[in-house]
Amino acid sequence: MVDATTSPLRSAEASPHVHALAAGRMRASVRPLDGGRLASLWREEPGGGRTDVLVPLPETGFDPLFWPKAGTYPLVPFSNRIRGAAFRFGETPVALAPHPAAAPHALHGFCQMRPWTMTRHSQVQVEMRYRHAPESAPDAWPWEFEAIQRITLDASGVTHEIGVESRAASPMPIGLGLHPYFAVSQGDRISFAADAVWKADANGCGRELLTLTGSARLHDSRHGEDEVTTYHAGWGGTASLDRRDGTRVVIEANAPLDHLVFHVPAGGRYLCLEPVSHVADAFNLAASGKAGTGARVLRAGEAISATMRIELA
């Protein structure tokens, strides 16, 4: 779990709608009430312009079910799809709310659709928490937990920590990750390596894990307008985005974020490189006996945490 006791931040009595961060020429904004989002990340340039690393979140409000494709949001307590919005964990059947954008499946957990509480803040760092109480939440996730994010800006980038601690009396399944929308243009180069790829079905759910060898492990593509979504496993923890404007963005993540979702929408307006802990529909795949899904279990009082780093090199 991310340790809040070592932070020099001051406690916040209330959560403002937007909190600005500044370090050197780097700038960022965080919106706890809008799903705990890192809303923008950019570098101020000497000539007075700015280089956006992430697509900036619009300043206007939005329907939590139809969020803007911008910023970075947390994926808790699972990432991507759960087939049919239902799964069984041991003897416990779980029926979730289908997401309108992926119906009849559930999508990306639900923490990005809830307000988070900013618990500490400074000029360069924000800490925020979300407490899930099943009896008061409008979904059917039956386990209590607390999620925490800590976003720290420095002169070359941002470090984004995310963690979950179980407050449930019984074991609970868990998945987590982060979902950034990178600002890109046609021809930008994306590179990373991975040991395997999950074949997906027409519903966007994982189906079969395929091991990669030799040059097949290396992903090296140019950003374009064609829609593509691929699920990678055992990625090396480092990806690079070399933009045609001369900016080089390096994305790093540690375990348990050992899966990576690569997504380009039709038209190529943005790029998603999502470090996550499991493949789409991991809970159902694991229950059926599939190996390598990344599905994990937290017992009472246990915690899991991970870090993503975005740096301008």
Side-chain angles (χ1 to χ4, degrees), residues 75-271:
L75 300 171
V76 177
F78 59 88
S79 80
N80 218 284
R81 288 158 175 76
I82 292 181
R83 186 187 300 278
F87 67 96
R88 178 175 289 273
F89 181 70
E91 298 302 315
T92 303
V94 180
L96 303 171
H99 193 280
H105 315 296
L107 181 67
H108 289 330
F110 46 82
C111 289
Q112 83 283 2
M113 295 185 281
R114 308 284 167 75
W116 290 55
T117 300
M118 189 167 69
T119 49
R120 298 172 184 269
H121 66 90
S122 74
Q123 184 178 355
V124 297
Q125 191 177 78
V126 165
E127 178 188 282
M128 50 189 168
R129 296 173 183 259
Y130 169 78
R131 183 70 175 266
H132 178 72
E135 64 276 7
S136 62
D139 57 70
W141 189 264
W143 298 279
E144 184 176 1
F145 66 84
E146 183 175 54
I148 179 173
Q149 294 185 80
R150 182 178 294 158
I151 297 171
T152 306
L153 191 70
D154 58 53
S156 59
V158 67
T159 300
H160 196 151
E161 302 166 83
I162 185 168
V164 180
E165 182 176 353
S166 173
R167 300 295 179 87
S170 60
M172 63 174 261
I174 190 64
L176 75 165
L178 292 162
H179 196 310
Y181 292 87
F182 290 99
V184 284
S185 61
Q186 304 301 312
D188 290 353
R189 183 178 182 183
I190 307 104
S191 305
F192 59 88
D195 293 329
V197 64
W198 279 90
K199 291 184 67 175
D201 60 22
N203 296 303
C205 295
R207 186 166 58 87
E208 181 183 2
L209 183 63
L210 303 177
T211 300
L212 303 175
T213 60
S215 61
R217 295 184 61 256
L218 305 179
H219 177 101
D220 190 340
S221 66
R222 296 284 180 175
H223 185 72
E225 297 184 350
D226 293 338
E227 182 175 4
V228 60
T229 301
T230 50
Y231 303 138
H232 301 267
W235 73 296
T238 301
S240 61
L241 170 60
D242 291 286
R243 302 191 341 185
R244 294 180 65 192
D245 65 3
T247 305
R248 187 165 204 260
V249 182
V250 177
I251 303 98
E252 298 177 311
N254 64 357
L257 304 183
D258 45 14
H259 291 243
L260 182 72
V261 180
F262 172 84
H263 173 67
V264 177
R269 191 177 67 83
Y270 54 80
L271 166 70

